[in-house]
Amino acid sequence: MLTPSRNNESLAGKLLLSSALVAVSLAYGWWQRDVPPAPVVAVAPMPVPPAPKVSTATPDVPVSSPPASVPAAAPAMPTVDAGSEAK
């Protein structure tokens, strides 16, 4: 008579253990459902170009200001008399 009750306990234990495993799996899935942020792209700084070894001196050229602009006079428009047209 001990065998049938032992079988029932084993079945109940397996059912309880299986339910606990399902619950833990669902809880883990719920915890992991958040979408991770987009990956961050690493950007390396550009190296500074080396300074020239020999300095190139500019020749001494006198700096002159550009010539002042002279306002252009408006072109003279010939006056046309509407009454003096030839017919």
Side-chain angles (χ1 to χ4, degrees), residues 32-39:
Q32 291 291 324
R33 72 173 164 57
D34 293 335
V35 178

Side-chain angles (χ1 to χ4, degrees), residues 10-82:
S10 178
L11 181 62
K14 286 180 185 178
L15 192 59
L16 184 62
L17 185 60
S18 177
S19 298
L21 183 61
V22 168
V24 168
S25 297
L26 287 174
Y28 182 74
W30 186 265
W31 178 55
Q32 291 291 324
R33 72 173 164 57
D34 293 335
V35 178
V40 178
V41 178
V43 178
M46 294 297 294
V48 178
K53 293 181 180 179
V54 179
S55 68
T56 56
T58 57
D60 292 334
V61 178
V63 177
S64 63
S65 62
S69 61
V70 178
M77 297 295 288
T79 57
V80 177
D81 188 16

